Structures are given as C-alpha cells and as structure tokens.
Amino acid sequence: MKADSSGVLTGVHFMDGDHAACEGALAAGCRFVAGYPITPSTEVVERFAARIPKVGGVFIQMEDEIASSIAIQGAVWGGKKVMSVTSGPGLSLMMEHIGFAVCTETPSVWVDVQRCGPSTGLPTQPAQHDMQQIKWGSHGDYEIIAISPNSPQECFDLMIKAFNLSETYRCPVFFMMDEVVGHMTERVEIPAADKIEVTPRKFTTKAPGEFKMYATTPDDLVPEMVKAGDGYRIHTTGLTHDERGYPLMTVAVQQKMMTRLIDKIKRNAHKLVDVRMDNCEGADIVVVSYGITSRIAHAAIDEARAKGLKVGHARLIICWPFPEALFREMASKVKAFVFPELNMGQMVRELNRAVVGKVKVVSVPHAGGTVHEPNTILNAIMEAAQ
Amino acid sequence: MNECGEYKDLDIQNPVLKVLRQDRIPHIWCPGCGIGTSLNCFARALMDCGLNLDKVAVVSGIGCTGRTAGYLNLDSFHTTHGRAIPFATGLKLSNPELSVVVYSGDGDLFAIGGNHFFHAARRNMDLLVVCVNNYTYGMTGGQVAPTTPLGPTQTTMPYGNFEQSFNLPFVADACGATYVARWTAYHVRQLAKAMNEALLKKGLRFIEVLCPCPTLYSRRNKLGDGVDQMKYYKEKSVIKNGADTKEAVLTFQGEIIVGKFIDRERPTWLDSMNKHLSVALGDSFVPYGTNGGDNGQN
Amino acid sequence: MAKTEIRIGGLGGQGVILCASIIGKAASIFEGKHATLIQAFGPEARGSACSAQVSVSDSVIGYPYVTSLDILAVMSQDAFNLFAPTIKPDGILLYEEELVKLNDRLPSGIKAFSIPATRFAEELGRRLVLNIVMVGFFAGVTKLCSFEAFRNATLDSVPKGTEDLNLKALQKGYDYGAKLL
C-alpha cells in the first residue's frame, strides 16, 4: 500500500541522518515511539516528539531504555507501527526485550546510532561497535534483520525498508547508524506519499475462534496477527508456546517453535540479500564494508584503482542475515577480501566463516572515535594485493 | 460436584468460568495460595463492571502472580520480569479505547519493576495495577522480597530478614495514584467491590492484595497452612477507609490496616497531553485517542 | 570543480552550525551541487568551542571530513588558533576582525579577509545576526554559489518573522566581501 501522506514531509531538505531517520519512520507509518535520551541518537526522538502531535500518534519519553523497548511492544499489540531509538549503553539495557520481540513475533524497528564502547566510552564519537551485540546479546538463539545506512538520504529510504521488513517477517529490525551518519547533514529528497510503498501489518481475516495466534503453513512461516480490542481474546507470552500462544513447556514444542523462528529468516535469507556491488566482477580485491565506513572505503578504492589495481566494493545494506552464500561464491573468484570496520573486527568474523579459508581476508579494525583514514584502507588493499 | 467445580446434576457452573480460559485450567498455583482467590474476585469484578470485555486487556510480568494473564479470557499479555507496566503503557497509549489492567506480584512490580511503577503513577497513566503481595518470591523458591516484613526467614535471608520493606499504599499515594486500596485474600467481597470500582475509574489505580504463600513463606516461618493465614487476616485486619497511608505499615504477623485509602481525580497522561498540545499547537494538533473509537490506526 | 573543503569555527551560541548549514544548503539544494556538513561540539551548550566542516563538490562526496582545508571562517580566537595552521597553502581565511587577532599561527601565503561583522550586526539591530553577516561575507568573497542560492538558503533556514533582518545581514556581509576583492 502507499504511505499515509500525513506523515510524509515531501520535498528537498538539508537534513542530518538522525532527522532523516525520523522522517523515514513517519513516512513508513510509525505512530508510536518510546525512547530515552542518549547521545548521539537523541535528535531522532526530539524530532519525533515535535512532529507526531501534528501527524496523529504518540511519543513518550520513558524512564529508561528497558521500559522503552517493551513499551513499543505493547504499542504494537495495540495496533501501531513502532520504533525505539538508542545508542550503545541504552542498547545494552534493551537486550532482554530483543528476545521478547523475537519470541512473541512483535514487528518493531530498533534504531542504534552507534558510538564508542565499551561502557560509557566516547559518547559523541562514531563507532560500529554493536554489530554482533544485536545478533547475540539477548539470551537464546534467534534471528534478526539489520540494516546499515551510510547517508542521511539512506536513513530516510532504508528506514522505510526496515519497517516493511519488520512487518513482512514479524521480527525486530535493527537500524544500525553511527554518530557520523546520524550527525552528518546532506541533501535528502523525500518523495510524494504515493511514491512510497509501505507494507501493511499482516492482520488476519479469520474470525475469532478460527484464528490461532501462531499458526503457520509450510509455505509461509510468518503467522497472521491481530491487535488487542478486536474480540480475539489473544494470549501472548515470552514462554515457549504453542500455536494458540499458550505456554506449553515441552521439548517438542520448544523444538517446533525455535525451528520456525529461525527458519522464517533463514529460509528467506536469499530474499534478504542487499549488497551494493561496485565493479566486483573481475576484481582481484573486493573491499567489504557497511555504514559510514563504506564512504571512507570508497575514497580508498578510487585511489587504489588509480594505481591500476582491480578493486571491487561490496557494501552491505543488510548486515544480518549476513549474505554468506554470496561471499562463498565470490571467494572462488577473487584473491582477497579487505574488510574495514569501526570496531576491532566484528562482521569480518562472518565473512571469515562464510569463506572458511578459501581466500585471504584482511580485517582493517579501528577502535572508533573517528573514521578510518582512507590511506589505512588503501594500505590494506595494497597489502592484500601482494 | 465434579473436580471443575461444576454441579452436573443441578446444571450450575461457577459463574466466573466464562471469564477464564477454561482450556488452561487447572492452574499452577499451590493449594492454599491466595492468588487464585484474588483472581476469582477479579473475575467477578469483570463480570459486574459492565465493561465490554473485548476492550479489556490484562498484562502480567513474571512470577506466580504473573501467570494470571494466562488464565483470563481477555486479550492477555505475559511479558518480561518487572516490565508489565511499561508494556501496558505502550498498549494503552497505542489503543486508548482499551481498559488495561496490570496484574502481577510484589517482587515483579516493586523490586525489578519498581521504577516503572513510580513513573506510571507520577504520569497518571490510565492503568489499574493489582499487586498480589505474598511477601516473598514464590516461583523461585522463597527469597526475600521488597515487601518481606522485618523478621521472617527467607532462603536469601536465612537468619531472618533485616531489610526494611515497602509500605505499598504509601508508595502509590506518594507517587500520585488516583485510587489506593488494600485488602487481603480473606476480604473477598470488599476486594471484588474495590476491583469493580477501580476498573471504572480513570488514572493509575492501585490495589494491594495480601495473599498467603503456604508452600514457602508460611511453612518456612512455621505459620501453618493457607487456612491459618486466612485466620490471621481475619483476626488482625482493621478496616480503616480513608486512613493515612503512612500508617499502613505491615509488620510480621502484626496488625493489617485494610480499606480504601485514596480516591481522587487527576488528569491522565493522555488527557494532559491532549489538553496541553491543543493549546500549544492550536489547529495543527491532531487530537489523539480522545473519542475512544478512532485512535489513529493505520 | 574539485571538492571545496570549508571549516566554520566559533563559540557555542554564535550560530556556527546554522552558518555552515546555510552554506551547505545553498550548494546542495539551491545550486545542484553535492554538500556534506559535519558538526563537532563539546558537551557544554554555550561558550564552548564549536566547529563545522562543510564539503562542497560537483560529484558525490565519499569522505565527509576536511583533509585539505580550502576555506576557514572563524568567529573566535580559539577557533582561529586551532584551525588556522590547517589551512592549505593557497587557502583562504575569513575572520571577524573584532573577535580574532591574527598571529603567527597563520601560515604564510594565506589570503586573509576580515570583516567587522559584530558591529554590522549591531547596526542592524540584532547582534545575533552576526553569523548571517558572516555567511554573506563568505558568499561575497568565495563566490562558491550564486548570491541567489545563499539568499534562498537563508530564507529557508531562519525563523519566520526574521527574514527581512537576516536578508539585510546577508546583503551587508556580501557587499562588504565583494568590495574587498
């Protein structure tokens, strides 16, 4: 369906990533945000607090990120599209509720404007420190989706994609920004509402009594949904549950529930590949990157090409699920991968796992606080080429 | 009478069964536990209050009382430990036509979840909070709670509790609740009436229900079984409606002040938001959730 | 056109970020170029060092930070002392002459242009428009974009009801800058 025009600020703007992310959420139909202030993400909720009274919806500043990350889930079951916004320390407090959203299949968008950790770290400086935390930080096995924008324009465009994927797969979708993308201002073009495609919630058409909370078919592992107040008298729980949503704590039910929760993402992993390829065909070296680092890598790649090297660039838009199959195939065609990240080497673990020793993988870690010098990445490309 | 409480010959069944999920009975609670008694009172209140039960939702946290949501035939949410109130806050604000009830235990609501209660009451979020206080952590096996009075033994206070407990009605009063009452599992009529009254009121309403935990609290402290605790409630309870909540302190096996302590009016969070923003923003404000029906659904 | 790298420096509360934003907006929205703006600020809201980096280019900008500073515009001595040494050899310095005194931190060979922007702002009736006078001065000296683009960007950025005052401030700075060339 098309976006609701009341939330779409159509026009050309000079806007930072935090503000653009908020506009993306509004355009995607987000009408409830619960948040807690934390640098460098605060501008997202500040803008939402200012905008939502004129659109129709609610912003509430909760007492902490634990509360924010569960209040949004209550709001989903009341019928709204929702988002919460935070940065590292707040994300750490949200961990338990990632699992609750996974287990109860509550579509929700979680924005993380990453800063340096561990602990309070460097609050106003960029990093990509939380890439593994979102995937493994909540207890138990689970699958999530994560998207990484590299510009204010992408903060708008990809935010709509984040909301749409969360509705399609009924899972938490993480929007992994960083301080630079959040605070960098650029031209942002917001199209007319009728040019924006939004995915509606998968509400059931079954009558109460016919509807089962978590019933799925072999072809479609994502159940239909209802909201509170519509007469379905639903029950949902973070306990292991059966198709009715009732807690049923047996090994068989656990096996069935877990398998479906994992498979609904894994079996669709091929649809969740979004890698922007730049001259990867015939390249000797492929630089892999995401978020702000992709822009820095771009500058380094230009210089390497000027030196005559055949360098491709594979930029991850969707970081989780990691596009394993794509890199496994690419590994037989290239000499090496170079993977700069604003962390000590997080997503490079996934790349290493995907290519299991077939080809050289050069990690270009950075402790964070600023972005790489393009020269550092250039040197890694030169080293990999030898 | 059969084991489900139905008199087959007389074709009579327990009148509250219709608001329970019969396919989930029997419940998990121990013999003599007071949580089921409180649920029975709540079920009666639901039936008597006249609300459309399709529009009533119940939210629980984790623990013995946290299982309540699962037995009520309402839209029901069994959330994470301590977080029933913020979940309920999101649910209520997202769909303001719902009456939202938080039904959970003392440890869930006032230890791990204490901060959320304070802020929900401060904001006057439109929620009914029922706290079943059995002075202990039941599901994990009888550890000290923020409501355990001075003296009794708990597994993590093996030599007796030396930590000061909360006086919950005083906390609720101080934080701004619009309705504050305390009853025990013995006072079933008063409790059902209080629940009925509170269901129909606006704002953050708080009811504390004192309940026996015979398996852990009573047995460990040689207080007998569930019936003995009911006798204690009967003998030591003093009804003082309108009492100063400061005086409603609980002591080990001491006097229990029960009654309706607070009943006042304050604008709810949503009422305040709508009133304030319609002045601040004028015509550009889109009123939210004020007409009960159209609440801005996509 | 190659990338032009600009830094605006001053104190929190002077409107440094708005100044940078108008320059970026003029280039990216009203003149069809590419522009990025990166701001750096301390935890204090007022009186702390505040600076912004603007890159303007005809093509897509990857690396958004200043590596080779073409133009520095400063409204405080601290900002001058900190950033003047980073101006590239044939770069340009623009400075508020009552707030900044040149010293040996300025590399030789830099073209320096000064303006009594605070005085001009006061003459216009509001000291606050100092930053808009500086934008006008920047426009007049650098001619990075057309005056029309700066005018539109200013109108798009200032609060309603202050348009006339701000346009006067812009014009004043622009005329003063254009005359110096």
Side-chain angles (χ1 to χ4, degrees):
Chain A
M1 60 186 267
K2 304 300 177 194
D4 165 10
S5 61
S6 66
V8 184
L9 200 67
T10 303
V12 180
H13 310 271
F14 194 56
M15 193 180 263
D16 74 15
D18 280 353
H19 288 77
C22 175
E23 289 303 328
L26 284 165
C30 178
R31 295 293 179 268
F32 182 92
V33 169
Y36 186 85
I38 183 165
T39 306
S41 76
T42 314
E43 289 88 338
V44 184
V45 293
E46 285 173 340
R47 188 176 183 96
F48 196 86
R51 288 269 283 131
I52 196 64
K54 301 172 187 174
V55 174
V58 174
F59 169 73
I60 182 167
Q61 182 175 314
M62 296 299 286
E63 49 275 16
D64 56 33
E65 290 89 345
I66 301 174
S68 303
S69 58
I70 194 75
I72 57 168
Q73 300 192 48
V76 170
W77 290 97
K80 291 286 185 289
K81 289 189 177 180
V82 305
M83 159 175 87
S84 196
V85 184
T86 193
S87 187
L91 184 73
S92 291
L93 291 185
M94 292 180 169
M95 286 297 118
E96 184 181 10
H97 291 145
I98 296 174
F100 189 77
V102 167
C103 190
T104 56
E105 301 180 70
T106 301
S108 42
V109 172
W110 307 52
V111 180
D112 178 15
V113 187
Q114 295 171 90
R115 65 190 228 185
C116 290
S119 192
T120 311
L122 290 173
T124 60
Q125 306 296 336
Q128 297 175 318
H129 277 193
D130 310 335
M131 298 304 294
Q132 292 283 354
Q133 184 187 17
I134 53 169
K135 178 66 181 72
W136 306 105
S138 198
H139 54 282
D141 286 316
Y142 62 89
E143 291 289 335
I144 46 99
I145 296 170
I147 291 178
S148 186
N150 81 356
S151 67
Q153 181 70 53
E154 283 194 351
C155 286
F156 178 85
D157 296 339
L158 293 176
M159 183 62 88
I160 293 163
K161 181 176 179 129
F163 272 89
N164 289 350
L165 289 174
S166 80
E167 297 298 338
T168 303
Y169 294 101
R170 283 189 64 180
C171 70
V173 174
F174 288 85
F175 200 68
M176 303 304 283
M177 297 165 60
D178 60 77
E179 189 275 336
V180 183
V181 168
H183 282 162
M184 177 169 57
T185 303
E186 277 185 319
R187 178 191 173 94
V188 175
E189 218 169 313
I190 299 181
D194 63 5
K195 299 278 187 271
I196 298 171
E197 203 57 46
V198 301
T199 305
R201 187 150 295 162
K202 198 175 169 185
F203 283 124
T204 190
T205 52
K206 292 192 177 79
E210 318 273 296
F211 171 74
K212 278 188 184 161
M213 275 284 275
Y214 296 109
T216 54
T217 63
D219 298 331
D220 184 359
L221 297 178
V222 183
E224 293 179 329
M225 204 165 171
V226 298
K227 65 181 167 66
D230 286 354
Y232 288 85
R233 310 282 181 105
I234 52 172
H235 183 65
T236 192
T237 175
L239 286 166
T240 294
H241 47 263
D242 62 14
E243 287 187 340
R244 299 171 298 175
Y246 288 5
L248 199 58
M249 284 155 282
T250 66
V251 174
V253 171
Q254 167 73 3
Q255 174 77 28
K256 190 176 171 196
M257 184 187 83
M258 279 302 303
T259 305
R260 186 176 63 74
L261 289 178
I262 300 287
D263 279 0
K264 75 174 177 180
I265 304 296
K266 276 206 168 160
R267 278 209 222 151
N268 290 305
H270 60 287
K271 294 183 202 162
L272 289 166
V273 174
D274 191 349
V275 182
R276 305 283 156 90
M277 300 283 205
D278 167 22
N279 286 297
C280 291
E281 282 296 321
D284 291 327
I285 310 291
V286 167
V287 177
V288 186
S289 70
Y290 55 91
I292 186 60
T293 312
S294 64
R295 294 176 67 136
I296 316 307
H298 194 268
I301 290 165
D302 282 348
E303 288 186 46
R305 284 175 183 160
K307 290 179 193 291
L309 294 177
K310 285 201 275 182
V311 185
H313 189 188
R315 172 157 92 86
L316 307 178
I317 301 293
I318 294 183
C319 296
W320 294 108
F322 187 79
E324 289 175 32
L326 181 142
F327 284 107
R328 197 172 298 126
E329 197 198 319
M330 211 189 280
S332 57
K333 298 175 187 164
V334 303
K335 287 185 188 156
F337 289 107
V338 172
F339 202 158
E341 305 178 80
L342 278 188
N343 54 51
M344 300 309 279
Q346 293 194 9
M347 295 306 286
V348 71
R349 291 164 178 264
E350 297 306 306
L351 181 59
N352 266 316
R353 202 173 48 74
V355 306
V356 277
K358 271 196 223 163
V359 64
K360 185 155 70 171
V361 173
V362 179
S363 172
V364 192
H366 191 300
T370 180
V371 295
H372 289 79
E373 288 290 331
N375 259 339
T376 311
I377 301 173
L378 177 64
N379 291 341
I381 296 170
M382 306 295 282
E383 177 200 323
Q386 281 159 17
Chain B
M1 189 174 78
N2 70 12
E3 61 186 0
C4 296
E6 296 166 13
Y7 290 88
K8 280 288 179 208
D9 297 343
L10 296 171
D11 197 25
I12 294 172
Q13 59 164 234
N14 187 331
V16 303
L17 276 183
K18 67 177 83 160
V19 294
L20 300 181
R21 290 184 195 274
Q22 297 183 42
D23 53 355
R24 293 222 51 218
I25 307 293
H27 57 66
I28 63 158
W29 298 311
C30 304
C33 169
I35 301 172
T37 312
S38 82
L39 177 59
N40 192 17
C41 294
F42 185 61
R44 282 178 187 277
L46 283 172
M47 288 169 56
D48 295 345
C49 69
L51 292 172
N52 173 4
L53 298 189
D54 280 344
K55 304 291 181 189
V56 180
V58 62
V59 183
S60 289
I62 297 296
C64 291
T65 313
R67 292 305 182 86
T68 308
Y71 300 125
L72 281 161
N73 190 20
L74 302 172
D75 285 321
S76 53
F77 301 92
H78 182 226
T79 64
T80 52
H81 195 19
R83 317 304 170 198
I85 286 177
F87 183 97
T89 296
L91 183 64
K92 173 68 193 180
L93 294 182
S94 162
N95 196 344
E97 65 173 356
L98 296 173
S99 297
V100 180
V101 181
V102 171
Y103 209 114
S104 215
D106 48 307
D108 187 75
L109 286 169
F110 287 96
I112 187 167
N115 198 32
H116 307 309
F117 179 85
F118 308 149
H119 291 281
R122 172 180 67 78
R123 296 180 181 117
N124 204 23
M125 201 51 68
D126 190 21
L127 304 171
L128 166 57
V129 178
V130 177
C131 175
V132 174
N133 177 6
N134 59 7
Y135 314 110
T136 193
Y137 282 85
M139 193 157 271
T140 46
Q143 294 77 32
V144 69
T147 46
T148 308
L150 289 171
T153 298
Q154 306 272 270
T155 61
T156 47
M157 279 288 183
Y159 310 109
N161 177 36
F162 54 81
E163 239 184 55
Q164 185 62 51
S165 64
F166 266 143
N167 168 356
L168 297 182
F170 181 44
V171 169
D173 181 7
C175 293
T178 57
Y179 181 99
V180 179
R182 172 197 280 156
W183 296 102
T184 78
Y186 170 74
H187 299 91
V188 287
R189 286 179 193 281
Q190 293 95 328
L191 178 58
K193 184 167 166 268
M195 286 170 156
N196 186 338
E197 189 176 38
L199 273 167
L200 298 174
K201 206 175 150 61
K202 302 289 276 181
L204 192 293
R205 297 140 279 157
F206 178 70
I207 299 176
E208 180 183 26
V209 187
L210 301 180
C211 272
C213 173
T215 306
L216 297 160
Y217 183 78
S218 297
R219 190 173 56 87
R220 179 172 293 278
N221 290 293
K222 302 187 170 53
L223 300 174
D225 59 16
V227 176
D228 292 309
Q229 275 298 286
M230 295 297 257
K231 281 183 188 155
Y232 158 58
Y233 294 153
K234 182 185 173 191
E235 285 162 14
K236 291 291 180 91
S237 292
V238 182
I239 299 177
K240 283 188 187 172
N241 290 315
D244 185 341
T245 56
K246 263 197 238 91
E247 292 163 14
V249 175
L250 295 173
T251 55
F252 184 51
Q253 295 298 100
E255 184 182 87
I256 302 168
I257 295 176
V258 295
K260 179 169 83 174
F261 306 131
I262 301 289
D263 191 349
R264 61 189 163 204
E265 304 299 323
R266 272 178 71 207
T268 66
W269 191 89
L270 258 187
D271 290 343
S272 300
M273 181 189 93
N274 277 306
K275 190 176 169 197
H276 183 80
L277 291 181
S278 60
V279 174
L281 297 176
D283 289 344
S284 63
F285 175 54
V286 179
Y288 180 81
T290 47
N291 58 2
D294 174 19
N295 47 38
Q297 296 306 320
N298 290 312
Chain C
M1 186 186 88
K3 193 161 90 165
T4 303
E5 299 184 356
I6 303 152
R7 189 185 282 276
I8 316 291
L11 298 171
Q14 278 184 327
V16 170
I17 305 300
L18 182 65
C19 179
S21 174
I22 293 172
I23 294 169
K25 204 181 261 187
S28 76
I29 295 184
F30 297 103
E31 193 120 323
K33 298 171 191 278
H34 292 269
T36 60
L37 160 64
I38 296 233
Q39 45 189 292
F41 40 84
E44 309 89 352
R46 290 288 177 269
S48 62
C50 178
S51 79
Q53 305 173 45
V54 181
S55 298
V56 176
S57 173
D58 287 335
S59 52
V60 173
I61 298 164
Y63 193 74
Y65 288 96
V66 166
T67 50
S68 167
L69 184 60
D70 295 290
I71 305 165
L72 175 66
V74 285
M75 293 180 262
S76 79
Q77 191 67 42
D78 282 352
F80 169 82
N81 290 346
L82 190 60
F83 299 120
T86 66
I87 306 174
K88 73 175 196 186
D90 57 345
I92 295 174
L93 170 72
L94 306 171
Y95 66 103
E96 206 297 339
E97 64 189 38
E98 290 168 16
L99 300 173
V100 177
K101 295 288 164 240
L102 300 189
N103 59 33
D104 60 2
R105 301 183 73 85
L106 184 69
S108 57
I110 305 293
K111 281 173 279 177
F113 301 89
S114 74
I115 180 171
T118 307
R119 185 158 57 78
F120 287 164
E122 282 168 354
E123 284 167 10
L124 287 164
R126 288 291 297 278
R127 198 184 172 150
L128 271 179
V129 296
L130 158 69
N131 60 338
I132 307 298
V133 177
M134 285 301 285
V135 173
F137 186 53
F138 179 96
V141 174
T142 67
K143 301 283 184 353
L144 187 71
C145 302
S146 67
F147 180 75
E148 199 55 24
F150 280 104
R151 188 176 178 278
N152 288 333
T154 303
L155 282 176
D156 196 53
S157 305
V158 299
K160 284 209 169 32
T162 67
E163 291 94 338
D164 283 352
L165 174 65
N166 279 296
L167 285 185
K168 277 184 201 153
L170 185 79
Q171 190 74 52
K172 183 86 186 169
Y174 183 83
D175 291 345
Y176 190 84
K179 260 191 282 176
L180 290 183
L181 293 180

